[in-house]
Amino acid sequence: MAGASASFFPAQHISPIRRNILSRGLSSVRTRLPTSKPMACAPDAAPDLLQAAKLTVDNYVRSGMVVGLGSGHASGLAIQYLGKRMREGALKDIVGIPMSVSSASEAAKSGIPLDHYEDNLQIDFAFDDADIIEEGTLNAVIGRQKLDGGESIIQKKSIVKTASKLAFIVSDKQYTRDLDGSVPVLVNCGNWMETAEEIDDLFLGDAEVWRRPTSGHAGPLGGNFPLVTKEGHHILDVIFTSPILDLDAP
């Protein structure tokens, strides 16, 4: 896209969102990053993302690291470039921890050795795509896209949270001060409707709460085929009908 740019957003750590209804089994895929100045790249969208992917690898990945490998177009470019640097001998002894089936497949094609994520695993650095990042605060939303087969949002979020350093790679249009769209929320299947009603009351008049389907038309109840994640959760898409004024509101 003409006039677009791409950026990566480094962070030392991130913390999960704080909301009272988390105690009822709700797990948001929204995360908050500390403020950091973005690094913009060249004018065209595809070259920008590639440049941002290269900068992410060159600036943060060192030999001997365990690296969380994100999913999405920009992360795929970073995985390809990381594999190229390893083949050239510039980086050695890298172990990749994929966040999705697609990132595992891309890493395998790029020659990056892989390992499975475990709760006690030390991850030195991770990169990922984000759906939208709030300008100034760097609050980020992930999880809007359709899940890859076998992908786990909980594992993806765990890898992002565990990493000692993190970078999101996004296009210019995803870095904005005017937030809109949806915020995906994981909720236990057993009490999903009760939690959905609580969220609906919380954002009454500002958002609609729809259960995500696996296929077909979406709707408040998730259509005929509501999505169930591999851990047994539904995904509630909190769809804001007006701008999101405070993404990090308690």
Side-chain angles (χ1 to χ4, degrees):
M1 178 182 298
S5 64
S7 308
F8 71 89
F9 297 85
Q12 293 297 323
H13 67 280
I14 62 173
S15 56
I17 178 157
R18 304 180 301 276
R19 192 173 293 283
N20 293 335
I21 52 178
L22 285 173
S23 61
R24 304 194 59 170
L26 183 70
S27 177
S28 171
V29 296
R30 182 175 62 183
T31 55
R32 182 178 185 277
L33 287 76
T35 303
S36 175
K37 184 178 179 180
M39 181 176 295
C41 305
D44 296 321
D48 281 355
L49 284 179
L50 177 58
Q51 180 67 8
K54 289 180 176 181
L55 286 170
T56 300
V57 173
D58 288 339
N59 285 2
Y60 291 99
V61 179
R62 300 291 180 264
S63 294
M65 276 189 170
V66 177
V67 180
L69 308 176
S71 54
H73 179 59
S75 293
L77 294 174
I79 291 171
Q80 293 172 16
Y81 181 68
L82 175 57
K84 179 176 180 291
R85 297 296 286 164
M86 292 179 67
R87 292 192 299 274
E88 294 170 346
L91 293 170
K92 300 178 181 179
D93 302 322
I94 300 293
V95 176
I97 308 297
M99 298 186 193
S100 68
V101 173
S102 61
S103 57
S105 175
E106 195 62 60
K109 289 188 293 185
S110 300
I112 301 172
L114 299 176
D115 200 355
H116 297 289
Y117 173 74
E118 298 176 358
D119 289 339
N120 60 350
L121 182 65
Q122 174 61 47
I123 299 176
D124 301 297
F125 173 68
F127 56 80
D128 194 16
D129 289 36
D131 298 307
I132 194 167
I133 292 181
E134 185 176 26
E135 185 178 339
T137 67
L138 298 192
N139 290 326
V141 175
I142 61 176
R144 286 181 178 177
Q145 298 92 349
K146 183 177 179 180
L147 299 183
D148 293 333
E151 182 177 1
S152 166
I153 291 182
I154 291 179
Q155 179 172 310
K156 179 186 181 81
K157 184 180 177 183
S158 296
I159 293 172
V160 166
K161 287 173 59 180
T162 301
S164 298
K165 292 183 178 180
L166 166 71
F168 281 135
I169 311 170
V170 300
S171 65
D172 183 66
K173 66 181 181 180
Q174 294 168 294
Y175 178 63
T176 178
R177 151 179 328 163
D178 302 316
L179 298 178
D180 57 10
S182 63
V183 174
V185 175
L186 292 179
V187 60
N188 292 328
C189 290
N191 65 342
W192 78 268
M193 188 170 289
E194 179 182 351
T195 306
E197 290 174 353
E198 188 172 351
I199 297 173
D200 190 51
D201 291 341
L202 188 65
F203 297 107
L204 188 63
D206 294 324
E208 298 178 358
V209 182
W210 287 17
R211 184 170 57 159
R212 189 179 297 185
T214 55
S215 61
H217 297 291
L221 299 180
N224 295 327
F225 306 99
L227 176 67
V228 179
T229 69
K230 61 186 299 184
E231 292 89 3
H233 294 90
H234 290 310
I235 298 178
L236 301 180
D237 288 309
V238 184
I239 306 168
F240 284 84
T241 54
S242 57
I244 305 173
L245 298 179
D246 189 354
L247 189 60
D248 197 37

